[in-house]
Amino acid sequence: MIPLFDHHPAMASRLPRVPLLKWPTPVFCAERLGEAINVPGLYVKQDGFSGAVIGGNKVRKLEFILGRARALGARHVLTFGCAGSNHALATAVHAKTAGMGATLLLLPQANARYVRENLLAAHGAGARLVHCRTPLAMSAKTAVEALRARRATGAAPFVIPVGGSSPEGVAGFVSAAFELARQVEQGLLPEPDEIYLPMGSMGTAAGLALGIWAAGLKSRVMAVRVVDPTLANEAGLHLLVRRTSRLLQEAEPRFPDPPAMARVKIVDGFLGQGYARFTREGAAAVVLARETEGLSLEGTYTGKTLAALIYRARAGDLSGKTILFWNTHNARDLSPHVVSRDWRELPRPFHPYFKELVQPLDRC
């Protein structure tokens, strides 16, 4: 039984779930990386191993989202993202595990090696990939794809929001906080003073902040913004926390009601030129993590997050503190799922990602 249900058993029968998660994900003291940035008390939580085929933070969300979809009788799911969306790929892989089809509606983004890999892996998982030039075009195509899925399966498809950041998805990271509390109790790490993670669709930050409050931890979530502030902001984060709290209280009235923005701070200054556009600081952080600890990071989310941590460390803001870097990036090898795939089998609008160079900071 997952940690959230251990503490609130009544929820187990009221929150449907598809078991996908390999938990607890490892946590370790990153001594070499900590020494390099002068943070002796640096730990890493490796959510990259959260799933058997593909890991990362999306697995925790999809357990509850796909559970809800199955409970409603859906046989197909629709979701959204940019071309290299980790969430879209995870949805494709885990929907297949749950016996459902998946349609991914994808917007353009800056090219990177992981974009190519994710597109091929999603195609290999059997997902339908739909290119959308603009958000407006995405809205129109969503209606068309929903009708297509209904006709094919005889049931309405379940629509998953960007990043899986619905209250059901956020509940997965509430449970992650209870998992962390258990690892602290087991002596695997001291209780962190600060926890660094990327904030895009806000679900990971909202769930962890809510769960930390409910689990009785005093850690502060440092949510490093990696998208435009119009898409991820304090008002939206607060609303997501409140909506998730209401969902959990409907399942278990004794679940605590947190104060606004408890245990979370939004960290700015590391987005650079925009979403999915790598920064020099982020690229340097990716290299440092690989060379010191063998960690697999990337330039869109985790590299920028580690760059924020490094900046604060070198400014002396983390002196004497226990710091946890929550690595949300997939650590599973996707090459077996893409090596035999031909990019020419993808819909034509995705071909330029394989013909054109990746952005310069992704070439090292």
Side-chain angles (χ1 to χ4, degrees):
M1 187 176 291
I2 61 172
L4 177 62
F5 292 169
D6 276 345
H7 285 80
H8 299 283
M11 289 184 182
S13 61
R14 297 171 185 168
L15 291 177
R17 171 177 161 263
V18 175
L20 302 170
L21 184 66
K22 295 177 70 65
W23 68 274
T25 56
V27 63
F28 70 95
C29 181
E31 295 180 2
R32 293 179 294 274
L33 178 56
E35 181 179 357
I37 63 174
N38 197 29
V39 182
L42 177 62
Y43 290 78
V44 174
K45 176 79 164 155
Q46 279 283 59
D47 257 18
F49 296 103
S50 60
V53 176
I54 181 172
N57 60 328
K58 306 306 180 183
V59 180
R60 296 183 184 274
K61 297 179 178 183
L62 287 167
E63 283 203 317
F64 287 91
I65 292 171
L66 294 177
R68 175 70 171 161
R70 178 182 283 177
L72 292 174
R75 300 175 184 174
H76 198 94
V77 297
L78 271 63
T79 197
F80 317 92
C82 290
S85 169
N86 297 311
H87 161 70
L89 170 58
T91 299
V93 170
H94 293 297
K96 183 178 181 181
T97 299
M100 300 179 188
T103 295
L104 315 179
L105 293 104
L106 306 174
L107 291 165
Q109 71 164 85
N111 201 8
R113 286 175 293 182
Y114 78 87
V115 176
R116 298 170 175 173
E117 186 174 60
N118 285 6
L119 285 169
L120 289 172
H123 178 67
R128 175 174 169 80
L129 277 59
V130 179
H131 181 265
C132 305
R133 291 179 61 86
T134 66
L136 183 61
M138 177 180 279
S139 296
K141 289 187 177 183
T142 297
V144 173
E145 293 301 325
L147 181 60
R148 180 196 294 269
R150 180 189 284 270
R151 286 175 174 171
T153 66
F158 188 84
V159 179
I160 303 173
V162 173
S165 291
S166 64
E168 290 84 5
V170 175
F173 260 89
V174 175
S175 187
F178 282 92
E179 178 184 312
L180 174 63
R182 180 179 294 180
Q183 290 178 314
V184 170
E185 292 172 1
Q186 293 171 340
L188 299 179
L189 76 163
E191 182 174 343
D193 294 296
E194 295 179 356
I195 302 173
Y196 284 77
L197 50 80
M199 186 179 74
S201 62
M202 302 184 290
T204 301
L208 202 57
L210 177 57
I212 281 171
W213 174 266
L217 295 174
K218 295 181 173 59
S219 307
R220 193 176 196 191
V221 174
M222 308 296 286
V224 180
R225 183 156 31 204
V226 296
V227 299
D228 190 274
T230 60
L231 302 176
N233 48 60
E234 186 171 310
L237 184 59
H238 175 53
L239 178 60
L240 195 51
V241 169
R242 298 298 304 163
R243 290 177 62 206
T244 306
S245 180
R246 285 197 296 271
L247 172 72
L248 297 179
Q249 287 170 349
E250 288 171 1
E252 170 54 89
R254 292 180 296 175
F255 188 83
D257 192 13
M261 296 298 288
R263 303 286 189 264
V264 61
K265 174 181 174 57
I266 296 175
V267 180
D268 275 320
F270 299 90
L271 174 60
Q273 295 301 309
Y275 173 77
R277 295 189 179 277
F278 294 8
T279 64
R280 292 190 181 280
E281 296 81 6
V286 170
V287 173
L288 182 62
R290 181 175 65 238
E291 292 180 347
T292 56
E293 301 290 350
L295 293 176
S296 175
L297 307 185
E298 41 63 54
T300 299
Y301 295 96
T302 49
K304 292 179 179 180
T305 302
L306 184 57
L309 191 163
I310 292 171
Y311 178 85
R312 295 198 72 231
R314 290 176 174 165
D317 297 337
L318 306 184
S319 179
K321 293 182 178 180
T322 298
I323 304 299
L324 178 64
F325 175 71
W326 200 294
N327 187 6
T328 59
H329 182 50
N330 169 50
R332 301 297 186 188
D333 182 12
L334 292 178
S335 59
H337 307 282
V338 303
V339 68
S340 62
R341 302 290 168 186
D342 186 346
W343 58 265
R344 297 170 187 82
E345 297 174 357
L346 296 172
R348 188 170 298 275
F350 296 108
H351 291 189
Y353 292 106
F354 298 86
K355 294 179 178 180
E356 299 171 0
L357 292 175
V358 298
Q359 55 190 295
L361 288 172
D362 191 39
R363 295 176 196 168
C364 57

